[in-house]
Amino acid sequence: MKFEIPAGAQKILRTLTAAGYEAYLVGGCVRDLLRGVEPHDWDICTSARPEETEACFTGQRIIETGLKHGTVTVLEEGEPYEITTYRTEGPYSDSRRPDYVEFVSSLEADLARRDFTMNAIAMGLDGSLRDPFGGAADIQAGVIRCVGEPAQRFREDGLRVMRALRFASALGYKIENGTAGAIHENRRMLEHVAAERINVELSKLLVGERAGDILRQYPDVFCQFWPQLEPLVALEQNNPWHCWGGWEHTIHAVEAAPPDLVLRLTMLLHDIGKPACKSTDEKGIDHFYGHPAVSAKLADQMLRELKFDNRARERVVTLVERHDVQIPNRERSLRKWLGRLGPETFFRLLEVKRADSMGQSYELVKDRLAELEEMKTKAAEIVAQGQCFSLKDLAVNGRDVIAAGVAPGPEVGRVLERLLERVTGGEIPNERETLLGLLRSDDGPAVGM
Ligand code: ATP
Ligand code: MG
């Protein structure tokens, strides 16, 4: 095995077995060990009932938050370990949570409730496997397969539809045919799944190495929780700039973006407003005037629906809104845009533009791609040289503007913006005295309207 079982987990397995119970590592950590990847947490399952587990660790820090579901968390060597009693699950009458859990004495029954064969393997302290569903062979072959009858498993818990796609994207595994068919057929089960749970899986899916393939193979699943995608999936684009329809263009753009959630979400949603903006001219060429603003509005609504946090949502919406702005490859405009957006958003926008271009006819965009590279280098130089480019770098601030006679309120910001534009444009130096002079001059605080 490439990775050692941590001392804390070893100690827990030993303590439980010494007390006469069975105890195994289980789930994600066993899967990752078999894949040769370092596990990020180490879950343990045991035949001991929760109170029996607690009794094995008296005097140690124990967290009881999962007790209802049979989970006791023990702190060992400073690390938390979740220890869960073997259990099966009752029926899912609301398709969200099992109505009840039932403790059982057999490891096999516990493994049988788990979603996929690769997640239903137990490993003992000595590295031996208990693998009744052939999970190790499926890992070896890179296959995602339901434990038991796929349709029934997706009907019990619709989230498993998204978990299957998430694992396929993140691990680059193939979804076995029976399981794949049942995903399409049971995608409606996602209706019953809380937005927050879908969000978690979608976020991991999008930053996965195979996100593009999954979007291509399962558009129906994405449309299930985001019906706003449907017109984009169906969109044809008849114009010289696009060799693909709306969905295939979107997929290429997602694939071309670095595996960062904000960027991947931006590419997924950047053209979502195109179908609503489509017009066809007398030559039969399609246009999509005004689509970035419509896309931004729709993206905002979709991200709210899936409960993305405000920070991520605002970043995505800003980038979607600006994805099509023309930024001339000149120092002056680079400074202006750096100032307007701030360096972080500006560099992200260049990535967005690059990814968007990668989804178009290559012959038409190769010069554009080279130009974007150049812009990135130049902008990095501007930032490195510490040239003034944002409001907070300006040698005067809001208090100075108010002191010069502008009433507190939005006009203060506008005056500062205008000063900044003139400074970044190279018209006036970023010197306090010069700027104060302008504020006090005859033009007054309008500073050269
Ligand atoms: P990750 O590496 O993302 O943590 P994981 O497989 O550990 O992957 P968790 O969500 O931490 O995923 O779940 C731990 C284990 O619990 C899984 O390996 C699986 O055996 C089981 N499990 C989790 N969610 C479900 C579910 N919705 N249905 C059935 N079994 C599940
Ligand atoms: Mg886990």
Side-chain angles (χ1 to χ4, degrees):
M1 233 166 14
K2 218 158 128 192
F3 298 96
E4 291 280 308
I5 301 172
Q10 292 194 28
K11 220 158 134 187
I12 292 172
L13 293 174
R14 242 181 260 117
T15 304
L16 286 164
T17 41
Y21 304 109
E22 292 175 17
Y24 296 92
L25 295 169
V26 73
C29 65
V30 178
R31 178 195 70 226
D32 289 344
L33 283 174
L34 296 177
R35 290 169 58 228
V37 169
E38 186 166 17
H40 57 84
D41 49 28
W42 300 81
D43 294 336
I44 291 163
C45 63
T46 180
S47 59
R49 299 298 160 106
E51 62 281 2
E52 292 171 333
T53 300
E54 287 192 323
C56 287
F57 298 95
T58 40
Q60 237 159 300
R61 256 200 77 195
I62 290 178
I63 306 162
E64 293 189 333
T65 42
L67 216 51
K68 234 184 21 225
H69 292 100
T71 302
V72 174
T73 302
V74 171
L75 274 172
E76 190 71 75
E77 316 265 322
E79 291 291 324
Y81 292 94
E82 290 193 356
I83 307 171
T84 306
T85 302
Y86 294 163
R87 60 183 174 85
T88 56
E89 296 177 345
Y92 286 65
S93 53
D94 69 350
S95 301
R96 283 182 195 206
R97 291 275 145 79
D99 296 341
Y100 52 85
V101 304
E102 200 178 326
F103 299 134
V104 293
S105 55
S106 115
L107 171 67
E108 280 213 16
D110 180 89
L111 295 175
R113 75 168 163 93
R114 297 174 182 270
D115 48 7
F116 307 113
T117 58
M118 63 179 181
N119 290 340
I121 311 170
M123 184 186 277
L125 190 54
D126 59 357
S128 61
L129 298 185
R130 297 280 299 269
D131 179 19
F133 304 103
D138 280 340
I139 291 173
Q140 188 76 35
V143 168
I144 296 170
R145 184 195 311 270
C146 280
V147 171
E149 213 271 297
Q152 185 195 334
R153 305 311 312 279
F154 293 123
R155 281 200 298 269
E156 284 167 1
D157 179 5
L159 185 72
R160 291 174 189 154
V161 165
M162 283 304 286
R163 282 178 60 87
L165 303 195
R166 179 263 277 202
F167 284 120
S169 172
L171 310 182
Y173 284 13
K174 186 180 162 351
I175 302 177
E176 172 272 326
N177 286 342
T179 300
I183 288 173
H184 289 296
E185 275 162 30
N186 293 284
R187 61 184 187 278
R188 274 179 208 87
M189 297 310 298
L190 279 169
E191 264 173 39
H192 310 286
V193 179
E196 290 83 352
R197 298 176 78 205
I198 296 179
N199 177 323
V200 170
E201 300 302 329
L202 176 66
S203 298
K204 291 182 180 169
L205 188 166
L206 283 177
V207 298
E209 53 174 279
R210 301 287 292 280
D213 291 339
I214 301 302
L215 290 166
R216 194 175 280 118
Q217 290 161 24
Y218 297 90
D220 52 340
V221 173
F222 295 88
C223 289
Q224 183 63 46
F225 58 85
W226 269 347
Q228 298 93 330
L229 287 170
E230 265 165 37
L232 182 68
V233 172
L235 179 72
E236 290 178 20
Q237 311 193 88
N238 181 25
N239 64 34
W241 307 282
H242 282 100
C243 44
W244 290 302
W247 190 234
E248 192 55 32
H249 162 72
T250 294
I251 290 167
H252 275 82
V254 168
E255 287 173 329
D260 164 272
L261 182 60
V262 166
L263 290 174
R264 291 269 167 103
L265 278 169
T266 301
M267 298 332 292
L268 180 62
L269 302 176
H270 76 289
D271 277 348
I272 188 80
K274 264 190 171 180
C277 298
K278 181 168 169 170
S279 62
T280 307
D281 67 19
E282 62 282 2
K283 295 195 196 92
I285 306 246
D286 294 335
H287 300 277
F288 305 95
Y289 299 117
H291 79 273
V294 178
S295 295
K297 211 170 149 219
L298 269 169
D300 186 74
Q301 179 203 326
M302 292 164 77
L303 295 169
R304 279 177 201 275
E305 279 171 18
L306 269 203
K307 312 271 194 241
F308 278 90
D309 63 80
N310 291 342
R311 213 169 121 97
R313 177 173 51 79
E314 282 161 14
R315 287 178 160 166
V316 172
V317 170
T318 301
L319 290 168
V320 168
E321 198 170 4
R322 311 280 188 156
H323 80 266
D324 230 9
V325 291
Q326 297 303 314
I327 306 180
N329 181 14
R330 283 197 304 270
E331 232 179 275
R332 197 185 148 155
S333 3
L334 293 176
R335 273 211 211 96
K336 189 175 87 181
W337 280 99
L338 271 167
R340 204 175 266 179
L341 302 174
E344 197 183 310
T345 306
F346 178 85
F347 286 110
R348 277 216 176 100
L349 183 59
L350 292 185
E351 291 287 355
V352 167
K353 288 180 156 297
R354 197 186 67 86
D356 194 10
S357 300
M358 298 285 283
Q360 294 170 19
S361 314
Y362 183 70
E363 275 308 307
L364 289 175
V365 297
K366 62 182 200 294
D367 295 344
R368 181 75 188 137
L369 288 171
E371 191 179 45
L372 283 167
E373 265 318 295
E374 242 180 66
M375 288 162 71
K376 195 160 135 187
T377 312
K378 278 191 207 160
E381 278 165 18
I382 294 175
V383 174
Q385 287 160 9
Q387 298 180 33
C388 163
F389 47 75
S390 94
L391 274 185
K392 71 174 174 10
D393 303 314
L394 204 60
V396 293
N397 61 26
R399 274 194 302 277
D400 301 317
V401 177
I402 292 166
V406 177
E411 184 55 20
V412 175
R414 284 195 280 269
V415 169
L416 288 170
E417 287 281 355
R418 284 193 295 269
L419 277 177
L420 180 66
E421 294 238 333
R422 294 180 66 184
V423 169
T424 51
E427 222 178 290
I428 47 173
N430 186 26
E431 287 166 9
R432 190 165 164 78
E433 281 314 310
T434 313
L435 300 182
L436 285 176
L438 265 176
L439 284 172
R440 290 192 209 103
S441 70
D442 285 347
D443 316 344
V447 280
M449 280 278 296

